Amino acid sequence: PDLPSDLGVRHVYVWHALHGYWRGLGPSLATTLPVEQVLPHPSRNLLRLEPRLRWDPTILFGAGLLTSPEALAEFYVRLHSPLVAAGVDGLKV
């Protein structure tokens, strides 16, 4: 597909979270990239200010992160190549 012409616009930009997805990377990528599941532990002071964090999915289930620069570079190549092929002009992270 050619998104700009398909959509009738001059430019197409997309947005994604720093690690690709809201809660990081899923276990399915762990078969090809070294995904580490990290469980954040908010401080008592932070929980006093934001008690809802106790039930935040990232706090409860963790986030999948890539820990090596090489794996992160490979992930971004895999994530961005289809966007380039579709005619996406830019990206906001």
Side-chain angles (χ1 to χ4, degrees):
D2 182 15
L3 288 177
S5 63
D6 291 351
L7 298 173
V9 296
R10 290 190 329 195
H11 301 287
V12 174
Y13 292 85
V14 297
W15 178 92
H16 69 70
L18 183 60
H19 272 305
Y21 308 97
W22 284 110
R23 285 191 39 234
L25 305 173
S28 62
L29 278 176
T31 59
T32 58
L33 293 172
V35 176
E36 181 180 331
Q37 196 70 13
V38 177
L39 285 169
H41 300 285
S43 70
R44 285 183 298 165
N45 292 331
L46 181 57
L47 290 173
R48 192 175 305 136
L49 291 171
E50 289 289 341
R52 293 178 298 168
L53 283 177
R54 294 180 199 283
W55 309 111
D56 183 82
T58 302
I59 302 296
L60 293 173
F61 306 110
L65 303 178
L66 293 170
T67 55
S68 84
E70 298 80 16
L72 192 56
E74 175 64 24
F75 168 73
Y76 282 127
V77 166
R78 291 185 195 180
L79 182 63
H80 296 154
S81 293
L83 299 175
V84 171
V88 171
D89 297 299
L91 172 73
K92 177 182 178 184
V93 177

